[in-house]
Amino acid sequence: MTKKDNLISLIKRQGYEEAPVFFDLCPSLIEKYKEKTKSDISYQEYFDMPWRCIEDRKLINHDTEKYRSYYNFQLKEGTYIDEWGVAHEPGSEAAMHMTYMRHPMKDLTTMEELEAYPFPDFANAEHAHQKAQCDEYHAKGLAAMGNMQCTVWELSWYMRSMEQLMMDMIADPEKAAFILNRVTKLSIIRAVSFVKAGADMLFFGDDVGMQNSIMLSEDMYVTWLKPRLKKIIDTVREINPDIIIFYHSCGFITPFIPHLIDVGVDVLNPVQPECMTFDEIHKKYNDKISFYGTIGTQTTMPFGTPSEIKEEVTKNLTLAGKKGGLICAPTHLLEPEVPWENILAYVEACKNFKPI
């Protein structure tokens, strides 16, 4: 099996030959990787990871400086503004790569102001590079991933602010619907572009869970977010019925899992063990959905020993069984406090595991 074939077979719970390795490193750990390995290839290649992400459509003449007028205060020196107009202010030295987010649509009060907001023009963006990247990855036996882990809810509140968007959903639904619909339309354009380029998988997501509870009620989720996610998934499945859909949400989201299955999600990420118990989730849903994650980055990866990490990986892969259904991996970006030895222990545990 190629890496791609092995991964897809595992996701479809049809058996697999080797446990895939996957994780993301923060900037300081990327430097640690270079120091430790003396390698000039990417850590994804070095650790033989089974997929690569395709670049998004590239906006043409999209000057983000135009969004500064939406902030009625001075942004900190060193702030960068992303393609959606969201400003990311640098944090303290202790925050390292983390930034403070500012919301350009927060203080807009009329529909006219919302309608005039310059959303990024993905419809006319460049996209020829996407097929070339897919072809390159496929030639190497790898899967190609379209990465859109902020899909509807997060992109919308990043611009509007969470508090204001939630208030809109309750007290001014016309405004909430406008923002969510515009973001959904743009997400469809991006997702369709990935699929037409040859992507094997799409990674959607929106954080709808907190540490111990859901972020919004189930009724609000079903009213506002579920139909829009379904619309995106239905659209790409019309183009490629076999496209594999990943979905990310941090935190406790147990009540939402049946809804994610209902709209066609294939892989749930990250099954954060500090918030949900994998064996309970697996027992209830393992014949309906696969999983990616389960190795905690709040606990196990930074504070466990190498032997504890190996035990956790082996336990979860054994629970999933020989048919697969689990990409066992750290649940989030690996942050600076994660020891290098723990990363190697995770990789070794996956490499040594034999599905039986």
Side-chain angles (χ1 to χ4, degrees), residues 200-211:
D200 307 288
M201 309 179 294
L202 292 176
F203 210 145
F204 296 143
D206 285 308
D207 286 341
V208 288
M210 299 185 290
Q211 192 75 7

Side-chain angles (χ1 to χ4, degrees), residues 9-300:
S9 184
L10 179 148
I11 289 170
K12 291 183 176 182
R13 303 179 295 281
Q14 296 174 347
Y16 65 106
E17 295 177 351
E18 60 182 19
V21 167
F22 205 91
F23 53 81
D24 292 303
L25 300 180
C26 71
S28 67
L29 283 180
I30 292 176
E31 293 307 309
K32 178 72 73 174
Y33 155 74
K34 293 175 181 177
E35 172 194 331
K36 291 289 188 179
T37 66
K38 311 300 183 187
S39 176
D40 57 0
I41 62 175
S42 71
Y43 68 85
Q44 292 92 346
E45 184 177 355
Y46 183 89
F47 288 108
D48 214 13
M49 297 183 187
W51 73 77
R52 300 290 185 273
C53 289
I54 312 157
E55 292 179 76
D56 208 336
R57 292 172 75 95
K58 297 179 180 179
L59 298 168
I60 301 170
N61 299 323
H62 187 64
D63 183 5
T64 59
E65 287 301 304
K66 64 189 173 188
Y67 293 109
R68 287 190 181 271
S69 64
Y70 285 87
Y71 298 98
N72 57 8
F73 54 88
Q74 185 68 37
L75 294 169
K76 283 185 180 180
E77 184 177 353
T79 296
Y80 77 91
I81 299 175
D82 67 24
E83 59 199 355
W84 298 89
V86 178
H88 301 263
E89 290 185 328
S92 65
E93 184 176 344
M96 302 190 78
H97 58 277
M98 304 298 289
T99 60
Y100 188 89
M101 191 183 299
R102 299 288 192 171
H103 316 286
M105 302 179 80
K106 181 177 181 180
D107 296 324
L108 303 185
T109 59
T110 68
M111 280 299 303
E112 289 74 21
E113 289 175 319
L114 295 180
E115 290 167 351
Y117 186 78
F119 289 86
D121 183 14
F122 283 106
N124 294 303
E126 296 176 349
H127 55 90
H129 60 281
Q130 293 182 316
K131 184 179 186 307
Q133 289 174 358
C134 283
D135 291 346
E136 175 190 349
Y137 302 150
H138 289 158
K140 295 177 180 178
L142 303 173
M145 171 78 82
N147 193 2
M148 296 172 51
Q149 289 185 49
C150 296
T151 309
V152 177
W153 167 240
E154 285 192 78
L155 288 174
S156 297
W157 78 250
Y158 287 0
M159 290 183 286
R160 183 64 164 157
S161 87
M162 185 184 293
E163 298 87 346
Q164 188 57 58
L165 184 55
M166 284 187 165
M167 288 297 295
D168 292 341
M169 291 158 72
I170 295 168
D172 203 341
E174 182 184 13
K175 290 188 176 69
F178 171 77
I179 296 169
L180 291 165
N181 287 342
R182 281 297 299 271
V183 171
T184 299
K185 181 178 179 180
L186 293 171
S187 289
I188 287 173
I189 291 169
R190 297 165 63 208
V192 165
S193 188
F194 283 128
V195 176
K196 288 186 174 180
D200 307 288
M201 309 179 294
L202 292 176
F203 210 145
F204 296 143
D206 285 308
D207 286 341
V208 288
M210 299 185 290
Q211 192 75 7
N212 300 305
S213 67
I214 52 179
M215 187 179 290
L216 65 170
S217 72
E218 193 171 349
D219 284 346
M220 288 188 73
Y221 179 83
V222 169
T223 299
W224 289 101
L225 302 182
K226 180 179 178 179
R228 291 175 169 89
L229 177 61
K230 184 178 187 302
K231 184 176 182 179
I232 299 170
I233 293 174
D234 286 350
T235 301
V236 296
R237 286 247 161 89
E238 288 177 4
I239 302 168
N240 179 6
D242 297 322
I243 192 77
I244 293 172
I245 305 296
F246 285 57
Y247 186 90
H248 166 85
S249 175
C250 298
F252 173 81
I253 61 163
T254 302
F256 296 144
I257 294 175
H259 298 294
L260 295 172
I261 293 170
D262 186 45
V263 300
V265 170
D266 298 300
V267 183
L268 177 64
N269 166 269
V271 195
Q272 197 173 334
E274 300 86 359
C275 308
M276 299 188 294
T277 304
F278 176 55
D279 57 356
E280 294 177 1
I281 299 296
H282 183 269
K283 187 180 298 182
K284 192 167 184 179
Y285 298 111
N286 75 87
D287 61 334
K288 300 179 178 67
I289 196 168
S290 292
F291 306 94
Y292 162 32
T294 76
I295 307 299
T297 53
Q298 290 180 325
T299 51
T300 308

